[in-house]
Amino acid sequence: QVQLVESGGGLVQPGGSLRLSCAASGRTLSGHIVAWFRQTPGNEREFVAATLWRAGDSSYSDAAEGRFFISRDYGKNTVFLQMDSLKPEDTAVYYCAAYRALTWGSNYGRPSSYDYWGQGTQVTVSS
């Protein structure tokens, strides 16, 4: 079992930055795909970014490409999401998720692929 805990959300003005953290416990994230999703009221969870832990490759949604950056810290078993140039439409609850995978495959953008989820952290972009 993997337990995931997100932190780093908050209120930020448009154009600002936040860094979200996803700390894992229970087992190492090696051999997993770890992703960030976001969700607004009444909508489905939306893929934001993912990293294939073993290779260090990353994938981003069109909305995140060029503004967000996903990274990982092996020693801390933690994944980060650096979010820059934030927009009001980035306002959402952000969730960290993981499932065991050694290659990307075609399903990493689907919430149903993920076995482990954090509780979420609220990000609000507003002036």
Side-chain angles (χ1 to χ4, degrees):
Q1 292 289 330
V2 176
Q3 291 79 44
L4 302 173
V5 177
E6 303 96 334
S7 62
L11 173 65
V12 63
Q13 292 187 342
S17 299
L18 281 175
R19 189 173 86 150
L20 306 183
S21 299
C22 173
S25 61
R27 65 185 303 171
T28 177
L29 288 174
S30 177
H32 290 75
I33 287 177
V34 185
W36 289 93
F37 288 80
R38 64 187 184 186
Q39 188 172 26
T40 53
N43 294 308
E44 296 183 353
R45 289 187 183 183
E46 174 192 11
F47 172 78
V48 176
T51 184
L52 180 61
W53 187 274
R54 173 171 290 192
D57 297 344
S58 302
S59 178
Y60 298 90
S61 67
D62 289 344
E65 186 74 53
R67 298 188 300 125
F68 295 1
F69 178 71
I70 189 170
S71 62
R72 70 209 192 286
D73 185 317
Y74 287 107
K76 295 182 179 179
N77 211 29
T78 299
V79 173
F80 304 97
L81 184 68
Q82 177 67 39
M83 304 188 295
D84 298 325
S85 302
L86 283 161
K87 305 174 182 179
E89 50 264 45
D90 294 318
T91 295
V93 177
Y94 283 71
Y95 295 91
C96 177
Y99 73 100
R100 289 191 59 83
L102 298 180
T103 60
W104 280 110
S106 60
N107 298 322
Y108 64 89
R110 301 177 183 175
S112 60
S113 297
Y114 291 78
D115 297 314
Y116 309 108
W117 289 87
Q119 294 300 307
T121 185
Q122 176 70 46
V123 171
T124 302
V125 185
S126 175
S127 56

